Amino acid sequence: MLKEFANQNVKELVEGLNFAEKVDRALTLIEAAWKKYGERLVVANSLGKDSVVIWDLAKRVSPDIPGFIVTTRYKPAETVRFMHEQVARYPELRVFRNEVEIPEELYKTDPDRCCDLLKVEPTRQAVDEMNVACWVTGLRCTEGRTRTDFQEVEERDAGLVKLNPVLIWYEREIWQYLAVYQVPVNPLYARGYRSLGCAPCTHISQGADERAGRWIGTSKCGGECGIHTRPLKTAASRS
Ligand code: SF4
């Protein structure tokens, strides 16, 4: 069943399906993965708008689907408050955070290293500790230049399937879902942010590229923290 979702013409799906069809497709995808992987199906919840849609869809499939949040010392206060609200409501959301000592303002001098330590490492830890076989993300192919080359189901990392159930949704359809199903979002969106991350690396931006406000002034501008591009399976979790 899940195989049917791999190697699709993603562009055709983005343009060809309407909102309701996309919601049905996402639910079907999560349901199929839940049947196949059970509690080894885990949602990665970044607390951004796409993630809260994914989380809501997953909870519609089964309240038992587990999830994890990766947070850092640099998250804005609003995001931290929103995280505490979400965890209080959904205790099945585990929080991972890397407390390692790092040079001051590493986000300025080497943002790739900073993201690697503070975001990618705890994601690896979550995958490992939660014994994840299939992780679910809120990645969307219309979100920016770095997100066009993905599939709804993929296995870039041997032994770790990735499910991207809202891959084919427009930004507008994410907001449509949040409004129609009255899903609470991070209050920072009301201030004009379109893509959320750590405070020093996230700015309010306008224009076609939704992620243009990320890592402004660095080589990473509009780019990725690495959790979607770097291997997540450690040697230990592979064996
Ligand atoms: S987003 Fe910025 S502060 Fe956060 S981990 Fe990456 S470089 Fe560091």
Side-chain angles (χ1 to χ4, degrees):
M1 171 77 194
L2 280 175
K3 282 196 185 118
E4 288 167 28
F5 290 86
N7 302 315
Q8 296 274 326
N9 185 329
V10 169
K11 194 168 180 285
E12 245 174 49
L13 292 167
V14 170
E15 292 165 4
L17 299 187
N18 65 34
F19 170 70
E21 289 167 334
K22 289 182 184 181
V23 172
D24 280 349
R25 189 178 172 92
L27 287 167
T28 304
L29 193 51
I30 298 169
E31 205 163 354
W34 178 235
K35 273 196 191 123
K36 180 163 183 184
Y37 298 105
E39 284 180 1
R40 294 190 71 200
L41 175 80
V42 178
V43 176
N45 186 338
S46 74
L47 303 167
K49 62 189 189 309
D50 311 295
S51 278
V52 291
V53 167
I54 288 290
W55 185 245
D56 194 76
L57 288 164
K59 295 291 102 177
R60 284 170 66 178
V61 171
S62 169
D64 297 330
I65 295 179
F68 69 86
I69 292 169
V70 167
T71 191
T72 77
R73 65 200 75 180
Y74 296 119
K75 289 288 180 186
E78 292 86 343
T79 301
V80 175
R81 267 198 301 277
F82 185 65
M83 176 178 80
H84 290 315
E85 285 163 19
Q86 291 290 300
V87 173
R89 184 170 172 196
Y90 302 105
E92 67 274 26
L93 270 174
R94 286 183 59 183
V95 177
F96 290 83
R97 177 182 159 126
N98 191 352
E99 300 291 6
V100 69
E101 217 173 284
I102 59 172
E104 214 176 304
E105 299 197 329
L106 185 62
Y107 52 81
K108 273 190 191 159
T109 54
D110 192 348
D112 282 324
R113 180 80 186 127
C114 188
C115 276
D116 210 22
L117 289 167
L118 302 190
K119 290 187 166 180
V120 180
E121 272 308 321
T123 306
R124 284 190 184 123
Q125 192 193 347
V127 166
D128 194 13
E129 278 187 24
M130 295 179 83
N131 194 21
V132 180
C134 177
W135 67 307
V136 191
T137 87
L139 195 131
R140 289 184 13 259
C141 67
T142 59
E143 217 179 336
R145 63 180 169 80
T146 56
R147 300 214 157 173
T148 54
D149 183 30
F150 288 90
Q151 286 285 321
E152 289 166 303
V153 180
E154 38 182 42
E155 191 175 337
R156 292 180 188 225
D157 233 345
L160 180 65
V161 173
K162 181 154 99 168
L163 215 66
N164 304 312
V166 296
L167 183 75
I168 58 173
W169 293 30
Y170 289 115
E171 183 183 21
R172 188 249 309 153
E173 289 164 330
I174 290 292
W175 287 111
Q176 193 169 350
Y177 186 96
L178 294 166
V180 168
Y181 295 102
Q182 300 183 5
V183 182
V185 288
N186 189 319
L188 286 173
Y189 289 112
R191 305 231 317 254
Y193 289 91
R194 289 173 72 197
S195 177
L196 300 179
C198 296
C201 306
T202 309
H203 297 89
I204 294 172
S205 69
Q206 312 241 50
D209 189 342
E210 216 175 307
R211 294 174 62 80
R214 308 288 294 275
W215 298 287
I216 282 177
T218 77
S219 55
K220 251 169 121 66
C221 186
E224 295 291 329
C225 67
I227 65 163
H228 294 298
T229 51
R230 314 253 292 126
L232 295 178
K233 280 294 235 188
T234 59
S237 64
R238 229 174 237 122
S239 60

